[in-house]
Short mmCIF file of all heavy atoms in Angstrom, two decimals:
data_model
loop_
_atom_site.label_atom_id
_atom_site.label_comp_id
_atom_site.label_asym_id
_atom_site.label_seq_id
_atom_site.Cartn_x
_atom_site.Cartn_y
_atom_site.Cartn_z
N LYS L 1369 6.89 -12.38 -9.95
CA LYS L 1369 5.54 -11.92 -10.34
C LYS L 1369 4.49 -12.65 -9.55
O LYS L 1369 3.43 -12.15 -9.39
CB LYS L 1369 5.34 -12.08 -11.81
CG LYS L 1369 6.24 -11.21 -12.64
CD LYS L 1369 5.97 -11.36 -14.10
CE LYS L 1369 6.90 -10.46 -14.87
NZ LYS L 1369 6.66 -10.45 -16.30
N LYS L 1370 4.82 -13.89 -9.15
CA LYS L 1370 3.85 -14.62 -8.34
C LYS L 1370 3.59 -13.96 -7.03
O LYS L 1370 4.53 -13.62 -6.30
CB LYS L 1370 4.37 -16.06 -8.17
CG LYS L 1370 3.35 -16.99 -7.61
CD LYS L 1370 3.91 -18.41 -7.58
CE LYS L 1370 2.89 -19.38 -7.12
NZ LYS L 1370 3.39 -20.73 -7.07
N PHE L 1371 2.36 -13.74 -6.65
CA PHE L 1371 1.96 -13.13 -5.41
C PHE L 1371 2.37 -11.68 -5.29
O PHE L 1371 2.34 -11.07 -4.22
CB PHE L 1371 2.52 -13.91 -4.21
CG PHE L 1371 2.11 -15.33 -4.14
CD1 PHE L 1371 3.09 -16.34 -4.24
CD2 PHE L 1371 0.77 -15.68 -4.04
CE1 PHE L 1371 2.73 -17.68 -4.19
CE2 PHE L 1371 0.40 -17.05 -4.02
CZ PHE L 1371 1.37 -17.99 -4.07
N ARG L 1372 2.66 -11.03 -6.39
CA ARG L 1372 3.01 -9.62 -6.39
C ARG L 1372 1.87 -8.76 -5.92
O ARG L 1372 2.02 -7.85 -5.12
CB ARG L 1372 3.49 -9.13 -7.74
CG ARG L 1372 3.73 -7.65 -7.88
CD ARG L 1372 4.83 -7.18 -7.00
NE ARG L 1372 6.09 -7.73 -7.51
CZ ARG L 1372 7.23 -7.64 -6.79
NH1 ARG L 1372 7.33 -7.00 -5.68
NH2 ARG L 1372 8.33 -8.19 -7.29
N ALA L 1373 0.66 -9.01 -6.36
CA ALA L 1373 -0.52 -8.21 -5.96
C ALA L 1373 -0.74 -8.33 -4.46
O ALA L 1373 -1.06 -7.33 -3.77
CB ALA L 1373 -1.78 -8.63 -6.70
N GLU L 1374 -0.54 -9.51 -3.90
CA GLU L 1374 -0.74 -9.71 -2.46
C GLU L 1374 0.34 -8.95 -1.70
O GLU L 1374 0.07 -8.32 -0.63
CB GLU L 1374 -0.70 -11.17 -2.09
CG GLU L 1374 -1.90 -11.96 -2.59
CD GLU L 1374 -1.80 -12.44 -4.03
OE1 GLU L 1374 -0.81 -12.06 -4.74
OE2 GLU L 1374 -2.66 -13.18 -4.50
N ALA L 1375 1.51 -8.99 -2.18
CA ALA L 1375 2.67 -8.26 -1.53
C ALA L 1375 2.42 -6.75 -1.53
O ALA L 1375 2.64 -6.04 -0.55
CB ALA L 1375 4.01 -8.56 -2.22
N GLU L 1376 1.94 -6.21 -2.65
CA GLU L 1376 1.63 -4.86 -2.76
C GLU L 1376 0.51 -4.45 -1.80
O GLU L 1376 0.63 -3.44 -1.15
CB GLU L 1376 1.17 -4.48 -4.20
CG GLU L 1376 2.23 -4.69 -5.22
CD GLU L 1376 3.18 -3.51 -5.34
OE1 GLU L 1376 2.90 -2.40 -4.79
OE2 GLU L 1376 4.21 -3.64 -6.04
N GLU L 1377 -0.53 -5.30 -1.74
CA GLU L 1377 -1.66 -4.99 -0.83
C GLU L 1377 -1.23 -5.03 0.65
O GLU L 1377 -1.59 -4.18 1.44
CB GLU L 1377 -2.79 -5.93 -1.07
CG GLU L 1377 -4.01 -5.64 -0.19
CD GLU L 1377 -5.15 -6.61 -0.45
OE1 GLU L 1377 -5.00 -7.61 -1.13
OE2 GLU L 1377 -6.25 -6.26 0.06
N TYR L 1378 -0.43 -6.04 1.00
CA TYR L 1378 0.08 -6.18 2.35
C TYR L 1378 0.90 -4.93 2.79
O TYR L 1378 0.65 -4.36 3.88
CB TYR L 1378 0.94 -7.43 2.47
CG TYR L 1378 1.53 -7.72 3.84
CD1 TYR L 1378 0.76 -7.96 4.92
CD2 TYR L 1378 2.94 -7.69 3.95
CE1 TYR L 1378 1.34 -8.25 6.18
CE2 TYR L 1378 3.54 -7.97 5.17
CZ TYR L 1378 2.70 -8.24 6.28
OH TYR L 1378 3.28 -8.51 7.47
N SER L 1379 1.78 -4.47 1.94
CA SER L 1379 2.56 -3.34 2.19
C SER L 1379 1.69 -2.05 2.31
O SER L 1379 1.90 -1.23 3.19
CB SER L 1379 3.61 -3.11 1.05
OG SER L 1379 4.41 -4.18 0.96
N TYR L 1380 0.73 -1.90 1.43
CA TYR L 1380 -0.21 -0.80 1.53
C TYR L 1380 -0.98 -0.79 2.81
O TYR L 1380 -1.11 0.24 3.48
CB TYR L 1380 -1.20 -0.91 0.35
CG TYR L 1380 -2.34 0.10 0.39
CD1 TYR L 1380 -2.12 1.44 0.05
CD2 TYR L 1380 -3.57 -0.25 0.84
CE1 TYR L 1380 -3.11 2.37 0.17
CE2 TYR L 1380 -4.61 0.70 0.97
CZ TYR L 1380 -4.38 2.02 0.58
OH TYR L 1380 -5.38 2.91 0.71
N LEU L 1381 -1.48 -1.95 3.29
CA LEU L 1381 -2.17 -2.06 4.51
C LEU L 1381 -1.32 -1.76 5.70
O LEU L 1381 -1.80 -1.12 6.69
CB LEU L 1381 -2.85 -3.44 4.64
CG LEU L 1381 -3.98 -3.69 3.68
CD1 LEU L 1381 -4.40 -5.15 3.75
CD2 LEU L 1381 -5.18 -2.75 3.86
N LEU L 1382 -0.05 -2.20 5.70
CA LEU L 1382 0.88 -1.83 6.80
C LEU L 1382 1.07 -0.33 6.85
O LEU L 1382 1.04 0.23 7.94
CB LEU L 1382 2.24 -2.53 6.56
CG LEU L 1382 2.32 -4.05 6.78
CD1 LEU L 1382 3.67 -4.57 6.32
CD2 LEU L 1382 2.03 -4.33 8.22
N ASN L 1383 1.22 0.25 5.66
CA ASN L 1383 1.39 1.69 5.65
C ASN L 1383 0.17 2.46 6.22
O ASN L 1383 0.28 3.41 6.94
CB ASN L 1383 1.74 2.17 4.24
CG ASN L 1383 2.07 3.69 4.24
OD1 ASN L 1383 2.91 4.13 4.91
ND2 ASN L 1383 1.32 4.39 3.39
N GLN L 1384 -1.03 1.97 5.79
CA GLN L 1384 -2.29 2.61 6.26
C GLN L 1384 -2.38 2.53 7.77
O GLN L 1384 -2.80 3.42 8.43
CB GLN L 1384 -3.47 1.94 5.58
CG GLN L 1384 -3.57 2.31 4.17
CD GLN L 1384 -3.76 3.75 3.90
OE1 GLN L 1384 -4.58 4.41 4.49
NE2 GLN L 1384 -3.00 4.27 2.99
N ALA L 1385 -2.00 1.42 8.32
CA ALA L 1385 -2.07 1.22 9.78
C ALA L 1385 -1.09 2.20 10.48
O ALA L 1385 -1.51 2.79 11.47
CB ALA L 1385 -1.71 -0.25 10.11
N THR L 1386 0.09 2.32 9.95
CA THR L 1386 1.02 3.25 10.58
C THR L 1386 0.55 4.68 10.44
O THR L 1386 0.82 5.50 11.38
CB THR L 1386 2.49 3.10 10.03
OG1 THR L 1386 2.47 3.38 8.63
CG2 THR L 1386 3.02 1.69 10.28
N GLU L 1387 -0.07 5.06 9.37
CA GLU L 1387 -0.58 6.43 9.20
C GLU L 1387 -1.75 6.68 10.19
O GLU L 1387 -1.98 7.82 10.52
CB GLU L 1387 -1.06 6.61 7.74
CG GLU L 1387 0.09 6.81 6.78
CD GLU L 1387 -0.35 7.02 5.37
OE1 GLU L 1387 -1.61 6.94 5.10
OE2 GLU L 1387 0.46 7.32 4.52
N GLN L 1388 -2.38 5.62 10.60
CA GLN L 1388 -3.52 5.81 11.53
C GLN L 1388 -3.08 5.78 12.97
O GLN L 1388 -3.85 5.79 13.91
CB GLN L 1388 -4.59 4.72 11.25
CG GLN L 1388 -5.32 4.93 9.96
CD GLN L 1388 -6.29 3.87 9.67
OE1 GLN L 1388 -6.58 2.96 10.53
NE2 GLN L 1388 -6.88 3.82 8.50
N GLY L 1389 -1.72 5.70 13.21
CA GLY L 1389 -1.22 5.77 14.52
C GLY L 1389 -0.77 4.46 15.17
O GLY L 1389 -0.29 4.47 16.30
N VAL L 1390 -0.89 3.38 14.46
CA VAL L 1390 -0.38 2.12 15.03
C VAL L 1390 1.15 2.06 14.86
O VAL L 1390 1.65 2.35 13.78
CB VAL L 1390 -1.02 0.89 14.27
CG1 VAL L 1390 -0.47 -0.37 14.89
CG2 VAL L 1390 -2.49 0.96 14.33
N THR L 1391 1.85 1.73 15.92
CA THR L 1391 3.35 1.76 15.81
C THR L 1391 3.80 0.49 15.05
O THR L 1391 3.14 -0.57 15.02
CB THR L 1391 3.98 1.72 17.22
OG1 THR L 1391 3.66 0.56 17.88
CG2 THR L 1391 3.54 2.94 18.00
N VAL L 1392 4.96 0.61 14.44
CA VAL L 1392 5.56 -0.50 13.72
C VAL L 1392 5.87 -1.63 14.72
O VAL L 1392 5.63 -2.77 14.41
CB VAL L 1392 6.90 -0.03 13.03
CG1 VAL L 1392 7.61 -1.25 12.50
CG2 VAL L 1392 6.54 0.88 11.91
N TYR L 1393 6.28 -1.32 15.92
CA TYR L 1393 6.50 -2.34 16.91
C TYR L 1393 5.26 -3.14 17.28
O TYR L 1393 5.25 -4.35 17.29
CB TYR L 1393 7.04 -1.69 18.22
CG TYR L 1393 7.27 -2.72 19.33
CD1 TYR L 1393 8.46 -3.50 19.36
CD2 TYR L 1393 6.34 -2.86 20.35
CE1 TYR L 1393 8.67 -4.46 20.33
CE2 TYR L 1393 6.58 -3.79 21.36
CZ TYR L 1393 7.70 -4.57 21.34
OH TYR L 1393 7.92 -5.54 22.28
N ARG L 1394 4.16 -2.41 17.42
CA ARG L 1394 2.85 -3.15 17.73
C ARG L 1394 2.45 -4.01 16.57
O ARG L 1394 2.00 -5.17 16.76
CB ARG L 1394 1.73 -2.09 18.02
CG ARG L 1394 0.44 -2.66 18.34
CD ARG L 1394 -0.11 -2.25 19.66
NE ARG L 1394 -1.45 -2.70 19.87
CZ ARG L 1394 -1.73 -3.80 20.55
NH1 ARG L 1394 -0.77 -4.56 21.07
NH2 ARG L 1394 -2.96 -4.19 20.75
N LEU L 1395 2.54 -3.47 15.34
CA LEU L 1395 2.20 -4.34 14.18
C LEU L 1395 3.03 -5.62 14.15
O LEU L 1395 2.58 -6.64 13.89
CB LEU L 1395 2.44 -3.55 12.89
CG LEU L 1395 1.38 -2.48 12.57
CD1 LEU L 1395 1.79 -1.66 11.36
CD2 LEU L 1395 0.06 -3.16 12.20
N ALA L 1396 4.33 -5.41 14.36
CA ALA L 1396 5.28 -6.51 14.33
C ALA L 1396 4.90 -7.57 15.36
O ALA L 1396 4.89 -8.82 15.09
CB ALA L 1396 6.71 -6.06 14.52
N LYS L 1397 4.57 -7.09 16.60
CA LYS L 1397 4.20 -8.02 17.67
C LYS L 1397 2.90 -8.81 17.25
O LYS L 1397 2.88 -10.05 17.50
CB LYS L 1397 3.98 -7.21 18.91
CG LYS L 1397 3.84 -7.94 20.15
CD LYS L 1397 5.09 -7.84 20.95
CE LYS L 1397 4.81 -8.38 22.32
NZ LYS L 1397 5.96 -9.06 22.86
N LEU L 1398 1.96 -8.09 16.70
CA LEU L 1398 0.74 -8.74 16.38
C LEU L 1398 0.89 -9.74 15.19
O LEU L 1398 0.22 -10.79 15.19
CB LEU L 1398 -0.33 -7.72 15.99
CG LEU L 1398 -0.88 -6.82 17.07
CD1 LEU L 1398 -1.71 -5.65 16.52
CD2 LEU L 1398 -1.74 -7.64 18.04
N LEU L 1399 1.72 -9.43 14.27
CA LEU L 1399 1.97 -10.33 13.08
C LEU L 1399 2.98 -11.33 13.29
O LEU L 1399 3.17 -12.21 12.42
CB LEU L 1399 2.33 -9.40 11.89
CG LEU L 1399 1.22 -8.43 11.41
CD1 LEU L 1399 1.79 -7.48 10.38
CD2 LEU L 1399 0.04 -9.18 10.86
N GLY L 1400 3.75 -11.30 14.36
CA GLY L 1400 4.75 -12.27 14.59
C GLY L 1400 5.98 -12.13 13.75
O GLY L 1400 6.64 -13.13 13.43
N VAL L 1401 6.34 -10.89 13.41
CA VAL L 1401 7.56 -10.60 12.66
C VAL L 1401 8.36 -9.58 13.46
O VAL L 1401 7.87 -9.03 14.46
CB VAL L 1401 7.31 -10.07 11.24
CG1 VAL L 1401 6.51 -11.14 10.42
CG2 VAL L 1401 6.49 -8.84 11.27
N THR L 1402 9.57 -9.28 12.96
CA THR L 1402 10.37 -8.24 13.64
C THR L 1402 9.96 -6.83 13.15
O THR L 1402 9.57 -6.71 11.97
CB THR L 1402 11.87 -8.46 13.37
OG1 THR L 1402 12.08 -8.35 11.96
CG2 THR L 1402 12.29 -9.84 13.84
N PRO L 1403 10.16 -5.85 13.96
CA PRO L 1403 9.88 -4.43 13.50
C PRO L 1403 10.74 -4.08 12.29
O PRO L 1403 10.26 -3.34 11.42
CB PRO L 1403 10.28 -3.60 14.72
CG PRO L 1403 10.08 -4.53 15.87
CD PRO L 1403 10.50 -5.88 15.40
N SER L 1404 11.95 -4.55 12.26
CA SER L 1404 12.82 -4.24 11.10
C SER L 1404 12.25 -4.88 9.79
O SER L 1404 12.48 -4.30 8.73
CB SER L 1404 14.23 -4.66 11.35
OG SER L 1404 14.32 -6.04 11.57
N ALA L 1405 11.54 -5.96 9.90
CA ALA L 1405 10.99 -6.55 8.69
C ALA L 1405 9.85 -5.66 8.15
O ALA L 1405 9.78 -5.52 6.86
CB ALA L 1405 10.40 -7.93 9.05
N ILE L 1406 9.10 -5.01 9.01
CA ILE L 1406 8.10 -4.13 8.54
C ILE L 1406 8.69 -2.87 8.00
O ILE L 1406 8.33 -2.34 6.96
CB ILE L 1406 7.08 -3.86 9.68
CG1 ILE L 1406 6.31 -5.12 9.97
CG2 ILE L 1406 6.12 -2.70 9.26
CD1 ILE L 1406 5.31 -4.99 11.07
N GLN L 1407 9.75 -2.30 8.67
CA GLN L 1407 10.43 -1.12 8.18
C GLN L 1407 11.04 -1.40 6.82
O GLN L 1407 10.92 -0.56 5.91
CB GLN L 1407 11.55 -0.71 9.18
CG GLN L 1407 11.11 -0.22 10.51
CD GLN L 1407 10.53 1.22 10.45
OE1 GLN L 1407 10.15 1.69 9.44
NE2 GLN L 1407 10.55 1.84 11.63
N PHE L 1408 11.64 -2.53 6.65
CA PHE L 1408 12.27 -2.93 5.39
C PHE L 1408 11.19 -2.93 4.28
O PHE L 1408 11.38 -2.38 3.20
CB PHE L 1408 12.92 -4.28 5.51
CG PHE L 1408 13.00 -5.10 4.27
CD1 PHE L 1408 13.90 -4.78 3.26
CD2 PHE L 1408 12.06 -6.08 4.02
CE1 PHE L 1408 13.92 -5.48 2.08
CE2 PHE L 1408 12.12 -6.82 2.84
CZ PHE L 1408 13.05 -6.50 1.88
N ARG L 1409 10.04 -3.52 4.56
CA ARG L 1409 9.03 -3.62 3.54
C ARG L 1409 8.48 -2.25 3.15
O ARG L 1409 8.19 -1.96 1.99
CB ARG L 1409 7.86 -4.53 4.08
CG ARG L 1409 6.75 -4.66 3.07
CD ARG L 1409 5.76 -5.70 3.55
NE ARG L 1409 6.26 -7.02 3.38
CZ ARG L 1409 6.24 -7.75 2.29
NH1 ARG L 1409 5.73 -7.23 1.18
NH2 ARG L 1409 6.70 -8.95 2.25
N LEU L 1410 8.28 -1.36 4.17
CA LEU L 1410 7.74 -0.03 3.89
C LEU L 1410 8.74 0.80 3.04
O LEU L 1410 8.35 1.55 2.15
CB LEU L 1410 7.42 0.68 5.19
CG LEU L 1410 6.29 0.14 5.99
CD1 LEU L 1410 6.10 0.82 7.35
CD2 LEU L 1410 4.97 0.21 5.21
N VAL L 1411 10.02 0.61 3.32
CA VAL L 1411 11.07 1.35 2.54
C VAL L 1411 11.12 0.68 1.10
O VAL L 1411 11.10 1.40 0.12
CB VAL L 1411 12.49 1.22 3.21
CG1 VAL L 1411 13.54 1.70 2.21
CG2 VAL L 1411 12.47 2.02 4.49
N ARG L 1412 11.12 -0.59 1.10
CA ARG L 1412 11.22 -1.33 -0.21
C ARG L 1412 10.11 -0.99 -1.17
O ARG L 1412 10.28 -0.89 -2.39
CB ARG L 1412 11.24 -2.82 0.09
CG ARG L 1412 11.71 -3.70 -0.95
CD ARG L 1412 13.21 -3.76 -0.97
NE ARG L 1412 13.55 -4.77 -1.90
CZ ARG L 1412 14.32 -4.66 -2.91
NH1 ARG L 1412 15.01 -3.54 -3.06
NH2 ARG L 1412 14.57 -5.59 -3.77
N TYR L 1413 8.87 -0.77 -0.62
CA TYR L 1413 7.75 -0.52 -1.46
C TYR L 1413 7.43 0.95 -1.63
O TYR L 1413 6.40 1.36 -2.14
CB TYR L 1413 6.49 -1.28 -0.95
CG TYR L 1413 6.59 -2.75 -1.32
CD1 TYR L 1413 7.26 -3.67 -0.54
CD2 TYR L 1413 5.94 -3.21 -2.53
CE1 TYR L 1413 7.38 -4.99 -0.94
CE2 TYR L 1413 6.03 -4.53 -2.90
CZ TYR L 1413 6.76 -5.42 -2.08
OH TYR L 1413 6.86 -6.71 -2.42
N GLY L 1414 8.39 1.79 -1.13
CA GLY L 1414 8.27 3.23 -1.37
C GLY L 1414 7.45 4.06 -0.41
O GLY L 1414 7.15 5.24 -0.68
N TYR L 1415 6.98 3.48 0.69
CA TYR L 1415 6.18 4.24 1.64
C TYR L 1415 7.03 5.00 2.64
O TYR L 1415 6.53 5.92 3.32
CB TYR L 1415 5.26 3.29 2.42
CG TYR L 1415 4.25 2.64 1.45
CD1 TYR L 1415 4.28 1.28 1.18
CD2 TYR L 1415 3.19 3.41 0.99
CE1 TYR L 1415 3.37 0.74 0.29
CE2 TYR L 1415 2.26 2.83 0.13
CZ TYR L 1415 2.34 1.47 -0.20
OH TYR L 1415 1.44 0.92 -1.01
N ARG L 1416 8.32 4.64 2.80
CA ARG L 1416 9.27 5.37 3.64
C ARG L 1416 10.54 5.59 2.92
O ARG L 1416 10.80 4.94 1.93
CB ARG L 1416 9.53 4.50 4.92
CG ARG L 1416 8.31 4.17 5.76
CD ARG L 1416 8.33 5.00 7.02
NE ARG L 1416 7.12 4.85 7.79
CZ ARG L 1416 7.02 4.19 8.89
NH1 ARG L 1416 8.06 3.65 9.45
NH2 ARG L 1416 5.83 4.12 9.52
N ASN L 1417 11.37 6.50 3.42
CA ASN L 1417 12.66 6.72 2.83
C ASN L 1417 13.73 6.21 3.81
O ASN L 1417 13.53 6.15 4.97
CB ASN L 1417 12.90 8.21 2.61
CG ASN L 1417 11.94 8.76 1.57
OD1 ASN L 1417 11.66 8.11 0.57
ND2 ASN L 1417 11.47 9.98 1.77
N SER L 1418 14.88 5.86 3.23
CA SER L 1418 16.02 5.41 3.99
C SER L 1418 17.27 5.95 3.41
O SER L 1418 17.42 6.00 2.14
CB SER L 1418 16.08 3.83 4.03
OG SER L 1418 17.21 3.43 4.68
N ALA L 1419 18.17 6.29 4.24
CA ALA L 1419 19.51 6.73 3.73
C ALA L 1419 20.50 5.63 3.70
O ALA L 1419 21.68 5.81 3.34
CB ALA L 1419 20.03 7.84 4.66
N GLY L 1420 20.06 4.41 4.05
CA GLY L 1420 20.93 3.23 4.00
C GLY L 1420 21.34 2.88 2.62
O GLY L 1420 20.69 3.17 1.65
N GLU L 1421 22.52 2.29 2.56
CA GLU L 1421 23.06 1.89 1.26
C GLU L 1421 22.84 0.36 0.94
O GLU L 1421 23.20 -0.07 -0.15
CB GLU L 1421 24.54 2.24 1.21
CG GLU L 1421 24.80 3.69 1.24
CD GLU L 1421 26.27 4.05 1.17
OE1 GLU L 1421 27.05 3.25 0.70
OE2 GLU L 1421 26.60 5.20 1.54
N SER L 1422 22.28 -0.36 1.85
CA SER L 1422 22.07 -1.75 1.63
C SER L 1422 21.06 -1.92 0.53
O SER L 1422 20.12 -1.24 0.38
CB SER L 1422 21.52 -2.40 2.95
OG SER L 1422 21.11 -3.72 2.70
N LYS L 1423 21.30 -3.02 -0.28
CA LYS L 1423 20.39 -3.32 -1.39
C LYS L 1423 18.94 -3.56 -0.85
O LYS L 1423 17.97 -3.23 -1.54
CB LYS L 1423 20.85 -4.54 -2.18
CG LYS L 1423 22.05 -4.29 -3.01
CD LYS L 1423 21.65 -3.77 -4.34
CE LYS L 1423 22.89 -3.67 -5.20
NZ LYS L 1423 22.65 -2.94 -6.39
N SER L 1424 18.85 -4.15 0.31
CA SER L 1424 17.52 -4.48 0.85
C SER L 1424 16.70 -3.21 1.21
O SER L 1424 15.48 -3.30 1.41
CB SER L 1424 17.60 -5.42 2.00
OG SER L 1424 18.31 -4.83 3.09
N TYR L 1425 17.40 -2.14 1.45
CA TYR L 1425 16.69 -0.87 1.84
C TYR L 1425 16.63 0.09 0.60
O TYR L 1425 16.62 1.31 0.82
CB TYR L 1425 17.37 -0.23 3.03
CG TYR L 1425 16.96 -0.86 4.29
CD1 TYR L 1425 17.65 -1.91 4.85
CD2 TYR L 1425 15.75 -0.51 4.93
CE1 TYR L 1425 17.25 -2.50 6.03
CE2 TYR L 1425 15.37 -1.12 6.08
CZ TYR L 1425 16.11 -2.13 6.65
OH TYR L 1425 15.68 -2.75 7.78
N GLN L 1426 16.61 -0.42 -0.55
CA GLN L 1426 16.41 0.42 -1.75
C GLN L 1426 15.00 0.15 -2.31
O GLN L 1426 14.55 -0.99 -2.33
CB GLN L 1426 17.45 0.15 -2.80
CG GLN L 1426 18.82 0.60 -2.36
CD GLN L 1426 19.90 0.23 -3.38
OE1 GLN L 1426 19.58 -0.44 -4.37
NE2 GLN L 1426 21.09 0.67 -3.18
N THR L 1427 14.38 1.19 -2.79
CA THR L 1427 13.02 1.07 -3.32
C THR L 1427 13.03 0.20 -4.54
O THR L 1427 13.95 0.28 -5.41
CB THR L 1427 12.46 2.48 -3.68
OG1 THR L 1427 12.58 3.29 -2.53
CG2 THR L 1427 11.05 2.40 -4.13
N ILE L 1428 11.98 -0.62 -4.69
CA ILE L 1428 11.82 -1.44 -5.91
C ILE L 1428 11.44 -0.51 -7.07
O ILE L 1428 10.54 0.34 -6.93
CB ILE L 1428 10.72 -2.48 -5.73
CG1 ILE L 1428 11.05 -3.48 -4.59
CG2 ILE L 1428 10.47 -3.23 -7.00
CD1 ILE L 1428 9.95 -4.39 -4.21
N LYS L 1429 12.17 -0.67 -8.18
CA LYS L 1429 11.86 0.16 -9.33
C LYS L 1429 10.53 -0.27 -9.94
O LYS L 1429 10.14 -1.43 -9.95
CB LYS L 1429 12.98 0.00 -10.38
CG LYS L 1429 14.29 0.51 -9.85
CD LYS L 1429 15.40 0.24 -10.88
CE LYS L 1429 16.73 0.68 -10.32
NZ LYS L 1429 17.86 0.37 -11.19
N LYS L 1430 9.82 0.76 -10.46
CA LYS L 1430 8.49 0.49 -11.07
C LYS L 1430 8.50 -0.54 -12.18
O LYS L 1430 7.67 -1.36 -12.31
CB LYS L 1430 7.93 1.84 -11.55
CG LYS L 1430 7.55 2.83 -10.53
CD LYS L 1430 6.25 2.45 -9.87
CE LYS L 1430 5.91 3.56 -8.86
NZ LYS L 1430 4.79 3.17 -8.08
N GLU L 1431 9.56 -0.51 -12.97
CA GLU L 1431 9.63 -1.46 -14.12
C GLU L 1431 9.94 -2.79 -13.71
O GLU L 1431 9.74 -3.79 -14.48
CB GLU L 1431 10.72 -0.98 -15.10
CG GLU L 1431 12.11 -0.89 -14.62
CD GLU L 1431 12.53 0.50 -14.03
OE1 GLU L 1431 11.69 1.36 -13.92
OE2 GLU L 1431 13.72 0.62 -13.81
N ASN L 1432 10.36 -3.00 -12.44
CA ASN L 1432 10.58 -4.34 -11.97
C ASN L 1432 9.39 -4.96 -11.16
O ASN L 1432 9.42 -6.02 -10.72
CB ASN L 1432 11.79 -4.40 -11.00
CG ASN L 1432 13.05 -4.13 -11.74
OD1 ASN L 1432 13.18 -4.31 -12.97
ND2 ASN L 1432 14.12 -3.67 -11.06
N ARG L 1433 8.37 -4.19 -11.08
CA ARG L 1433 7.16 -4.66 -10.38
C ARG L 1433 6.25 -5.44 -11.24
O ARG L 1433 6.05 -5.30 -12.33
CB ARG L 1433 6.38 -3.45 -9.74
CG ARG L 1433 7.09 -2.92 -8.54
CD ARG L 1433 6.20 -1.93 -7.93
NE ARG L 1433 6.81 -1.55 -6.64
CZ ARG L 1433 6.36 -0.67 -5.84
NH1 ARG L 1433 5.24 -0.06 -6.09
NH2 ARG L 1433 6.96 -0.42 -4.74
#
């Protein structure tokens, strides 16, 4: 629960940037993280879909937020 609001806002802003045409690769380069870290976060917070079966690529349930 600690820093949950900040995590939600960060994910929202990442999604907004990608919707405005900024590539995930460019965001990752600017933020100093890997592109897969951003993809993971977007999937995890429900902004993207994934067919992967890994636990890390499953959407966080609303009741766990």
Side-chain angles (χ1 to χ4, degrees):
K1369 295 183 179 184
K1370 189 174 184 180
F1371 303 115
R1372 174 63 67 190
E1374 290 84 353
E1376 296 276 350
E1377 183 179 11
Y1378 178 64
S1379 301
Y1380 172 78
L1381 293 172
L1382 287 174
N1383 184 57
Q1384 289 299 310
T1386 59
E1387 286 181 353
Q1388 293 177 5
V1390 180
T1391 65
V1392 170
Y1393 178 79
R1394 179 124 174 96
L1395 283 172
K1397 190 105 168 143
L1398 291 169
L1399 295 171
V1401 297
T1402 63
S1404 59
I1406 292 178
Q1407 291 283 24
F1408 152 77
R1409 181 172 286 277
L1410 292 174
V1411 169
R1412 198 81 172 127
Y1413 283 85
Y1415 295 108
R1416 301 252 172 111
N1417 294 322
S1418 174
E1421 295 182 19
S1422 171
K1423 289 272 188 195
S1424 63
Y1425 280 94
Q1426 292 178 354
T1427 305
I1428 297 173
K1429 296 176 182 175
K1430 292 284 185 189
E1431 62 268 10
N1432 292 338
R1433 284 188 172 179

